[in-house]
C-alpha cells in the first residue's frame, strides 16, 4: 500500500496512473474536463478553483470532482491534452515543409484559442495521448524528409518549441492587456509613451488580424526555421 502511494506521488502525472474505478458519481471525467476548459477560456488560469468548478457543475461538494480526478494538477493535464486534439489536422499535401507548416499552424491556433494551455506546458509534461500523437506526426514527417537520430529529435524540438514559445509570448501580452481592463487599442495608447513605441505600432503588434500582428509574425518565423532545417547537412 505504501509503495502504491509512493508511486502516485513520484510519477506525478495522471497519464502514468490508471483511471479511477467506476463509481455511481453523476459527473463523468469528460463532463468535468469540458467544464474546466470553458471556465479557463472565460476566466483564465488564475481564477480556476475546484470549488468554483464544482459550483458551475451544479454541485456544492468538491468531493464530486475528486471521484473522477485525483487533484487539480491531474485535471489541468487532462484539459491541455483535450484541447490539443484540435491540432491533429490532416497534413498530407505538399512537401515536408508544407506539411509541417500545417501542423505547426494548427497547434499555434489551438494555443492562441486557449492561452492558458501554453502557460501549463511549462509545468505539466506532455504525456497525454493527443500530445504524443502530435509529436509522432512531426516525427513521421521529418523522418520521411531524411532526418535521423539525434538530428531528428532536434528538428522536432526546433519546430514544437517554437510553436509553444510563440504562443507563450502572445499569451503574456494578452494577459498584460487583460489585467489592465482596457482594450488593446486603449492599452497601446496608454502604454506606448512609457515604452517609447508609437501607439499605432503597438496596436498592430498586439492585433492578431494585423499583417504585423502575432499570427503573421508566427508564420514568418516558422518559415525561417523550416528553411534552416536541411536534412542533407545534418546527416
Amino acid at each position: 500500500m505504501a509503495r502504491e502511494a509512493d508511486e502516485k506521488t513520484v510519477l506525478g502525472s495522471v497519464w502514468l496512473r490508471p483511471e479511477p474505478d467506476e463509481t455511481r458519481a453523476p459527473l463523468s471525467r469528460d463532463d468535468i474536463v469540458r467544464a474546466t476548459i470553458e471556465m479557463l477560456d472565460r476566466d483564465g488560469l488564475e481564477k480556476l478553483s475546484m470549488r468554483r468548478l464544482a459550483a458551475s457543475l451544479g454541485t456544492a461538494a468538491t468531493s464530486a470532482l475528486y471521484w473522477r480526478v485525483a487533484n487539480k494538477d491531474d485535471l489541468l493535464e487532462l484539459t491541455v491534452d483535450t484541447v490539443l486534439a484540435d491540432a491533429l489536422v490532416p497534413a498530407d499535401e505538399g512537401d515536408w515543409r508544407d506539411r509541417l507548416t500545417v501542423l505547426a499552424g494548427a497547434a499555434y491556433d489551438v494555443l492562441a484559442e486557449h492561452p492558458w494551455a501554453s502557460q501549463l506546458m511549462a509545468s505539466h509534461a506532455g504525456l497525454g495521448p493527443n500530445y504524443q500523437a502530435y509529436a509522432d506526426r512531426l516525427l513521421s514527417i521529418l523522418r520521411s524528409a531524411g532526418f535521423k537520430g539525434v538530428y531528428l529529435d532536434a528538428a522536432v524540438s526546433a519546430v514544437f518549441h517554437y510553436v509553444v514559445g510563440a504562443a507563450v509570448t502572445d499569451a503574456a501580452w494578452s494577459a498584460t492587456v487583460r489585467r489592465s481592463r482596457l482594450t488593446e487599442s486603449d492599452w497601446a495608447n496608454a502604454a506606448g509613451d512609457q515604452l517609447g513605441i508609437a501607439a499605432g505600432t503597438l496596436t498592430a503588434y498586439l492585433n492578431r488580424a494585423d499583417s504585423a500582428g502575432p499570427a503573421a509574425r508566427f508564420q514568418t518565423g516558422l518559415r525561417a526555421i523550416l528553411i534552416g532545417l536541411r536534412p542533407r547537412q545534418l546527416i
Side-chain angles (χ1 to χ4, degrees):
M1 202 61 180
R3 181 179 177 182
E4 180 182 351
D6 287 344
E7 286 179 349
K8 287 185 177 183
T9 301
V10 172
L11 294 177
S13 172
V14 65
W15 303 113
L16 300 178
R17 299 192 294 272
E19 287 194 33
D21 295 334
E22 285 297 320
T23 73
R24 294 182 180 179
L27 295 174
S28 71
R29 177 181 276 189
D30 286 345
D31 292 332
I32 296 168
V33 170
R34 281 195 298 269
T36 305
I37 291 171
E38 291 174 4
M39 182 172 288
L40 288 168
D41 287 344
R42 184 180 65 248
D43 302 328
L45 189 58
E46 299 81 3
K47 294 185 179 180
L48 177 68
S49 72
M50 299 301 270
R51 185 180 299 277
R52 288 188 70 223
L53 181 60
S56 75
L57 286 162
T59 176
T62 56
S63 58
L65 307 182
Y66 292 122
W67 280 109
R68 297 299 187 185
V69 290
N71 51 56
K72 186 176 177 180
D73 279 326
D74 279 11
L75 179 57
L76 293 175
E77 281 193 281
L78 289 165
T79 58
V80 171
D81 199 69
T82 297
V83 299
L84 281 177
D86 290 337
L88 298 174
V89 299
D92 303 320
E93 298 184 1
D95 65 13
W96 64 273
R97 289 189 175 93
D98 294 330
R99 296 168 66 194
L100 285 178
T101 297
V102 171
L103 273 185
Y108 176 76
D109 289 343
V110 166
L111 296 177
E113 184 179 355
H114 309 285
W116 48 269
S118 58
Q119 292 177 265
L120 289 173
M121 285 183 170
S123 55
H124 294 71
L127 300 175
N130 292 321
Y131 187 108
Q132 294 300 317
Y134 185 86
D136 285 345
R137 291 194 183 187
L138 294 179
L139 278 166
S140 177
I141 293 171
L142 286 162
R143 191 179 286 117
S144 69
F147 289 85
K148 298 178 182 178
V150 66
Y151 301 113
L152 174 62
D153 293 338
V156 171
S157 295
V159 175
F160 193 63
H161 291 176
Y162 172 70
V163 172
V164 175
V168 167
T169 301
D170 294 349
W173 279 104
S174 296
T176 299
V177 175
R178 186 175 63 249
R179 286 194 297 269
S180 75
R181 299 185 179 180
L182 299 173
T183 65
E184 285 183 355
S185 179
D186 289 342
W187 184 86
N189 282 319
D193 288 342
Q194 296 188 50
L195 295 172
I197 302 173
T201 300
L202 193 52
T203 299
Y205 183 89
L206 297 170
N207 187 348
R208 295 191 62 80
D210 197 280
S211 60
R217 287 196 305 276
F218 170 78
Q219 289 296 335
T220 300
L222 179 61
R223 283 196 297 273
I225 288 173
L226 294 181
I227 289 170
L229 291 176
R230 297 179 183 274
R232 289 187 299 275
Q233 293 181 7
L234 294 177
I235 297 171

